[in-house]
Amino acid sequence: MKSTGIVRKVDQLGRIVIPKELRRTLQIVEIEDSLEIFVENDTIVLKKYDENADIYGVIRRVDQLGRIVLPIELRRKLDILVEKDSLEIYVEGNSVILKKYEPACIFCGNARNVFIFKGKNICPSCIKEIQEIR
């Protein structure tokens, strides 16, 4: 996974904006192009729709603002709540990958039981290590 640092919230209608720089990278044109949407492991994969290729997911058109509606079945499967959850967005090959954003520890990358201290995410084991430095 190549992190872009791009995180977006899902709006009240289940839409998410695909950042312009990622749309340009994959040559996705608003209004003209559709994307195939499917789940792979714990991520949502968006691929530019190719009418000649086998289809494994749902096809949705990209609107004039670069948004796409994520099907409710996929949001339910990945426990994505509209207007609450954020998704991390990045490109892998010829796909846009959406993954539920889980803040991770700035030191070790652990995403479990993370505390926020002065705007930074820190896990319990790193807090313990810091305390032992004294």
Side-chain angles (χ1 to χ4, degrees):
M1 168 179 99
K2 183 178 180 192
S3 179
T4 60
I6 300 173
V7 176
R8 296 282 190 270
K9 282 203 177 284
V10 178
D11 75 6
Q12 69 274 14
L13 299 176
R15 298 174 300 197
I16 189 158
V17 175
I18 302 166
K20 189 167 203 140
E21 53 271 16
L22 300 185
R23 293 193 314 263
R24 278 190 200 137
T25 299
L26 296 176
Q27 300 174 349
I28 297 168
V29 179
E30 300 83 8
I31 302 175
E32 292 179 23
D33 286 328
S34 295
L35 298 177
E36 180 181 1
I37 306 168
F38 57 93
V39 173
E40 194 171 90
N41 299 321
D42 61 345
T43 63
I44 296 173
V45 179
L46 308 175
K47 280 190 169 185
K48 194 170 178 179
Y49 172 61
D50 178 0
E51 57 189 37
N52 298 319
D54 292 334
I55 298 172
Y56 299 100
V58 177
I59 308 301
R60 294 285 160 88
R61 187 169 298 278
V62 179
D63 75 8
Q64 68 275 13
L65 299 175
R67 296 176 302 195
I68 192 156
V69 177
L70 299 175
I72 194 162
E73 299 84 12
L74 300 183
R75 295 190 319 250
R76 284 182 182 147
K77 185 174 185 174
L78 296 177
D79 194 30
I80 297 168
L81 306 173
V82 295
E83 292 193 69
K84 178 185 175 285
D85 288 323
S86 296
L87 298 177
E88 185 175 5
I89 305 170
Y90 55 96
V91 173
E92 242 181 40
N94 63 348
S95 302
V96 175
I97 308 296
L98 306 175
K99 184 172 182 158
K100 192 169 179 178
Y101 177 65
E102 303 277 347
C105 177
I106 60 168
F107 298 112
C108 69
N110 179 10
R112 291 181 159 228
N113 303 320
V114 175
F115 297 97
I116 299 174
F117 179 72
K118 295 189 177 185
K120 305 293 183 194
N121 300 317
I122 305 175
C123 73
S125 61
C126 287
I127 289 172
K128 186 175 178 185
E129 281 186 54
I130 291 169
Q131 290 172 336
E132 292 172 358
I133 293 174
R134 298 181 189 188

